[in-house]
Amino acid sequence: MDAFTTMPKAFITGITGQDGSYLAEFLLAKGYEVHGLIRRSSSINTERLDSIYQDPHESGARMFLHYGDLTDSSCLNRLLRQIQPGEVYNLGAQSHVRVSFDCPEYTVNTDALGTTRLLEAVYSQCGPGVKFYQASSSEMFGGLDCPETGYTETHPFHPRSPYGCAKVFSHHLAVNYRESYNMDICCGILFNHESPRRGETFVTRKIARAVARISAGKQRFLYLGNLEAKRDWGYAPDYVEAMWLMLRSPIPDDYVIATGKAYSVKDFLHRAFSYVGLDPDRYVVIDPVYYRPAEVPTLIGDASKAKKELGWEPEHSFEWLVEEMVRAEIDAL
């Protein structure tokens, strides 16, 4: 049997996003054949994959992109029937929490019903040995009763946004398919993870980009909402490795992935501005439009289970992450 037929094969929804692009890089480096689901758009939306793009017609190509959508069950069934992946990573979502209040129906259709369509397609079109990763979220906890040591896998959920509600549905559905059909499904309850590839509307990227532009004289003010919200921020490539490690576990389970440390938006802000030697008080304007209808005050995760069972630990610090994001924005200018 040649190398091509024994090559592990993965299917990734959300491959053009931050996590999807890092996961594709990671799996290619591990020797995988990678298939990704991308939505048709009038503008090019694959720039995060530029560094690993491969012409699918060239000999030896191992990355393939397929047009489709989590709202289209017939497409998902057709692709999975053709590809027959050994691993499926469901990272596709409308992932902006604030936007989910403006577009709740779209968010639920994509994030909750999309997971339903994908799970059913995997169940009906793929063999019993396929491994499935479900991207759950720290937003499922809601942040109102956060323990000092952080949330664990067994803490009750109390979502505070349509996005969080959709993720709770998807999480429970994935567990249901695992228990009902004996499917190899792991849910990663990932806390906030950032990088230079984070979407520009997310607060960390928004801050890093504004700091670079303000320091270069290209922007005057930075408009933000709640600066007191605290989050457990990690580095996205560290968290992508955790996804892969979960699917190596002999018994499928759920895992919190986090650093165990929380910093406020204000902390991130001051660290970013101090990197370029500026005072944020001169440039930051609080705008109520950026407040959520239901705020999530504090999210901290306890990844003890992942450390014990998967051998996973975050490798990068909060301080390094902030400076890396600002450096990348300065370089981009």
Side-chain angles (χ1 to χ4, degrees):
M1 187 176 291
D2 60 31
F4 181 81
T5 58
T6 61
M7 186 183 301
K9 192 184 298 184
F11 179 74
I12 305 171
T13 69
I15 194 171
T16 60
Q18 170 188 256
D19 291 6
S21 63
Y22 282 123
L23 179 61
E25 286 182 6
F26 180 88
L27 294 179
L28 287 171
K30 290 285 186 182
Y32 278 67
E33 177 182 316
V34 175
H35 295 259
L37 186 71
I38 61 172
R39 289 178 294 170
R40 174 70 176 91
S41 173
S42 58
S43 58
I44 296 174
N45 61 353
T46 57
E47 61 272 7
R48 291 188 179 97
L49 301 173
D50 285 347
S51 64
I52 55 172
Y53 174 77
Q54 298 174 348
D55 186 334
H57 301 293
E58 289 187 3
S59 175
R62 291 190 290 114
M63 188 174 79
F64 306 89
L65 302 179
H66 307 269
Y67 285 115
D69 199 287
L70 286 169
T71 62
D72 186 347
S73 58
S74 63
C75 172
L76 295 174
N77 277 275
R78 174 177 53 80
L79 287 175
L80 288 169
R81 184 167 60 250
Q82 293 174 353
I83 297 168
Q84 289 296 306
E87 297 175 14
V88 175
Y89 295 84
N90 185 27
L91 310 184
Q94 190 299 100
S95 59
H96 198 287
V97 177
R98 180 62 188 84
V99 171
S100 76
F101 285 99
D102 300 324
C103 307
E105 183 179 347
Y106 171 73
T107 300
V108 170
N109 189 23
T110 304
D111 299 7
L113 296 181
T115 301
T116 307
R117 298 182 187 102
L118 184 61
L119 280 168
E120 189 60 24
V122 170
Y123 174 66
S124 63
Q125 303 299 329
C126 301
V130 66
K131 296 176 180 291
F132 189 100
Y133 171 82
Q134 170 58 28
S136 296
S137 168
S138 61
E139 289 287 335
M140 301 188 305
F141 293 118
L144 293 179
D145 55 352
C146 186
E148 287 187 13
T149 55
Y151 291 109
T152 66
E153 295 79 4
T154 59
H155 197 283
F157 298 137
H158 187 167
R160 302 269 290 167
S161 66
Y163 170 78
C165 291
K167 282 297 186 178
V168 169
F169 177 91
S170 295
H171 178 86
H172 283 310
L173 190 69
V175 172
N176 183 265
Y177 268 68
R178 181 173 69 207
E179 296 176 348
S180 300
Y181 302 124
N182 197 32
M183 293 175 67
D184 195 334
I185 298 174
C186 290
C187 297
I189 308 174
L190 272 57
F191 282 66
N192 292 65
H193 46 290
E194 319 296 320
S195 76
R197 297 184 191 176
R198 193 57 142 146
E200 292 181 2
T201 58
F202 289 84
V203 68
T204 51
R205 178 78 187 281
K206 182 178 178 181
I207 291 172
R209 188 168 186 267
V211 167
R213 290 177 59 81
I214 289 170
S215 66
K218 297 179 178 292
Q219 184 172 326
R220 188 175 179 185
F221 296 114
L222 169 59
Y223 295 89
L224 294 172
N226 181 15
L227 301 185
E228 303 305 321
K230 293 183 177 180
R231 295 293 183 269
D232 187 328
W233 275 308
Y235 183 48
D238 291 348
Y239 288 42
V240 159
E241 182 182 13
M243 300 175 190
W244 180 79
L245 287 171
M246 286 180 211
L247 298 194
R248 314 273 75 74
S249 176
I251 301 176
D253 208 343
D254 309 324
Y255 295 91
V256 163
I257 302 299
T259 70
K261 299 177 182 179
Y263 297 88
S264 68
V265 175
K266 184 182 293 184
D267 292 332
F268 195 105
L269 189 70
H270 280 265
R271 187 77 186 187
F273 271 95
S274 68
Y275 183 73
V276 295
L278 296 177
D279 179 3
D281 294 337
R282 296 178 54 193
Y283 305 100
V284 175
V285 178
I286 302 301
D287 188 339
V289 74
Y290 294 112
Y291 278 81
R292 301 179 186 178
E295 286 290 335
V296 176
T298 304
L299 290 175
I300 309 174
D302 180 353
S304 299
K305 181 179 177 181
K307 179 179 179 180
K308 179 181 178 181
E309 297 186 9
L310 306 178
W312 180 87
E313 287 187 89
E315 296 183 8
H316 296 83
S317 69
F318 170 78
E319 294 79 12
W320 179 92
L321 171 65
V322 178
E323 294 178 3
E324 173 66 13
M325 292 184 70
V326 175
R327 269 196 301 268
E329 295 297 336
I330 293 173
D331 289 345
L333 285 178

